[in-house]
Amino acid sequence: MQKLQGRLIKNDMHNNQLTEKLIRGSDPLAKIFFDVFKFKYYSMALFFVVTGLLYGYLIPILFKVPPVSDLVSIINIVLVFPVAGYYYNYQPKSILRVYQSITRFFKEENEASIPFEKIRNWHAKPIWWLVGMLIGLISAGFGVLGVINGTNYVWQGINLVQVILVYGTRFLAMSMIGIIVMRHIATSIALYSVFQHTIFPLTLNTDKIEVFNNTKRFSLEIIGVAAVIALNLGVQPLVIDVPILEYSFYVALYFIFTPLSFFLPLLQVHRRMVVIKNNMLDKLHKDYQEEAEKLHDSLAKDQKKDLSSSYLKQTESMASIKQAVEIIEKSPDWPFEGTIFYRLIITILSPFFLVIFEIFINIISNILTGS
């Protein structure tokens, strides 16, 4: 079992192995930053901070233009873009952790049928990074339109180099955010094929099973990252006149993909848990039926003799089977407790708490003033 488990995380590239590089697939941004420049988790975040300080402060000061002062841009420079860069680099490690924990429940006799090659090819599909880059292009395009229409900040359009630097950085950050989401969705879909080769034990507490914890952690990680990234969406209506089209685009993406990203991996675990649970119940129902038939045959063979001892053993067996059925039916078939829904809702809405609070205050104020 340990030998099989280790096959997903070695550094060479035999048939039954996955690595962080393979999870990144054919993503050209990853090849540039991680294969060529050897960026690490924190260096990717530091890259966005340094770049932000360059285009937000140093270049404007050099050209005697007021530097960045709006809260939205500052949040992007010091928080949103660095977090996106960090998790973009870290996410493959998290994905490997999930795959690794699943292998502990593989049956060795089924090893040959486990679709390792299919998983690698799946992660290598260009569609995942192409969609991510499309999101980056759309975001950068909104910014360039602002320069053309004169609705951007002065420091963003000092000259052509500054425009390329500002919106090139936005393109990178938003592309990485898009790739994070698409990579998460790709993994969530691939998990279904992997889970088909596993047998999980039933449990009363899903936190006791490592694969459940790691899959749940994988889902919660992206929710937390999305909430941090969306913080600038929650701040924008409070400090600026938001561009409706651009703002609606980002908000729609957030409220569609964030819940989807949470449930997709957990849905794959749920589907496998249901299959295992139903298989056990089918076996117990069959055993119960066999015991019932034996009892019926005993009664039918000889109605004169006292076979109470034999009947008692058979009825006890039936009672035990019935009790086992009741226990299994009550066992959870989702890898989390119900309270996680409250955490999910709070986390998703958290970037917009200030906006929600302001709307609430305005409603109360209008009621009190009779407006």
Side-chain angles (χ1 to χ4, degrees):
M1 185 65 71
Q2 291 179 347
K3 179 181 178 182
L4 177 60
Q5 177 187 340
R7 296 189 177 182
L8 290 176
I9 54 174
K10 293 180 183 177
N11 292 323
D12 51 3
M13 296 176 58
H14 297 302
N15 289 334
N16 292 352
Q17 292 164 1
L18 293 174
T19 64
E20 291 184 30
K21 184 175 181 178
L22 290 173
I23 295 299
R24 294 188 186 105
S26 57
D27 176 10
L29 295 182
K31 294 181 185 298
I32 293 172
F33 285 104
F34 309 135
D35 295 343
V36 177
F37 293 109
K38 307 296 182 183
F39 274 33
K40 304 301 180 183
Y41 308 132
Y42 292 103
S43 56
M44 192 71 249
L46 185 62
F47 166 81
F48 280 111
V49 172
V50 172
T51 305
L53 293 176
L54 176 63
Y55 68 66
Y57 293 95
L58 295 182
I59 293 179
I61 291 173
L62 181 63
F63 283 87
K64 298 180 180 180
V65 170
V68 58
S69 59
D70 63 289
L71 185 58
V72 175
S73 296
I74 293 173
I75 289 176
N76 284 339
I77 291 173
V78 303
L79 187 63
V80 173
F81 291 175
V83 168
Y86 175 89
Y87 191 69
Y88 172 75
N89 196 355
Y90 176 81
Q91 188 187 33
K93 181 178 181 179
S94 182
I95 293 171
L96 281 181
R97 186 189 304 116
V98 175
Y99 282 134
Q100 178 186 1
S101 63
I102 295 174
T103 61
R104 299 179 182 179
F105 297 94
F106 283 163
K107 288 186 175 182
E108 291 193 35
E109 59 268 23
N110 294 334
E111 179 186 351
S113 62
I114 298 171
F116 292 102
E117 184 67 26
K118 182 179 178 181
I119 295 170
R120 289 199 298 274
N121 292 338
W122 178 253
H123 283 288
K125 288 181 178 295
I127 187 64
W128 311 125
W129 59 264
L130 282 172
V131 173
M133 286 193 177
L134 177 61
I135 294 173
L137 281 172
I138 293 172
S139 178
F142 281 131
V144 173
L145 283 176
V147 175
I148 295 173
N149 297 329
T151 58
N152 63 307
Y153 293 102
V154 176
W155 61 268
Q156 293 174 324
I158 296 174
N159 51 43
L160 181 59
V161 173
Q162 177 75 338
V163 170
I164 294 173
L165 185 58
V166 171
Y167 297 108
T169 302
R170 180 189 287 193
F171 164 76
L172 286 177
M174 294 304 298
S175 293
M176 289 180 180
I177 292 170
I179 293 171
I180 286 171
V181 174
M182 297 308 299
R183 193 190 282 158
H184 183 93
I185 292 174
T187 302
S188 302
I189 297 172
L191 287 178
Y192 179 74
S193 297
V194 180
F195 279 130
Q196 300 311 303
H197 303 274
T198 59
I199 296 294
F200 300 131
L202 295 181
T203 179
L204 295 177
N205 185 355
T206 56
D207 290 337
K208 299 297 182 181
I209 306 296
E210 182 185 13
V211 66
F212 297 162
N213 275 335
N214 285 335
T215 307
K216 183 167 58 178
R217 176 180 173 182
F218 177 60
S219 290
L220 289 173
E221 278 178 354
I222 198 167
I223 299 301
V225 171
V228 171
I229 291 172
L231 185 61
N232 70 348
L233 295 178
V235 170
Q236 284 186 39
L238 302 176
V239 297
I240 63 173
D241 292 327
V242 295
I244 298 300
L245 181 60
E246 181 178 2
Y247 187 76
S248 300
F249 172 74
Y250 293 137
V251 171
L253 287 181
Y254 177 74
F255 281 105
I256 291 172
F257 284 104
T258 304
L260 182 66
S261 297
F262 174 79
F263 280 109
L264 267 180
L266 300 176
L267 177 62
Q268 310 306 351
V269 184
H270 165 70
R271 294 170 69 181
R272 187 56 182 164
M273 291 175 74
V274 169
V275 169
I276 294 171
K277 186 175 178 178
N278 287 340
N279 288 342
M280 294 182 68
L281 289 173
D282 289 344
K283 177 64 169 61
L284 288 172
H285 284 299
K286 182 179 179 181
D287 291 344
Y288 187 89
Q289 184 64 34
E290 290 177 355
E291 290 298 324
E293 290 175 357
K294 290 178 183 179
L295 178 60
H296 179 270
D297 291 342
S298 297
L299 290 170
K301 282 180 180 178
D302 194 342
Q303 299 180 6
K304 296 180 180 179
K305 292 183 179 181
D306 182 10
L307 301 177
S308 58
S309 177
S310 174
Y311 302 155
L312 182 61
K313 290 180 180 179
Q314 289 171 336
T315 54
E316 286 178 347
S317 177
M318 292 173 66
S320 297
I321 295 173
K322 182 181 179 181
Q323 184 179 18
V325 168
E326 293 173 350
I327 291 173
I328 292 174
E329 285 179 339
K330 293 179 181 178
S331 65
D333 52 19
W334 281 93
F336 56 80
E337 303 296 330
T339 55
I340 201 171
F341 285 108
Y342 300 107
R343 294 166 57 189
L344 173 65
I345 293 172
I346 291 173
T347 303
I348 291 176
L349 293 179
S350 60
F352 301 91
F353 279 164
L354 290 177
V355 174
I356 294 172
F357 180 73
E358 184 181 50
I359 293 173
F360 175 77
I361 293 298
N362 289 337
I363 293 173
I364 297 298
S365 177
N366 290 335
I367 292 173
L368 292 177
T369 59
S371 300

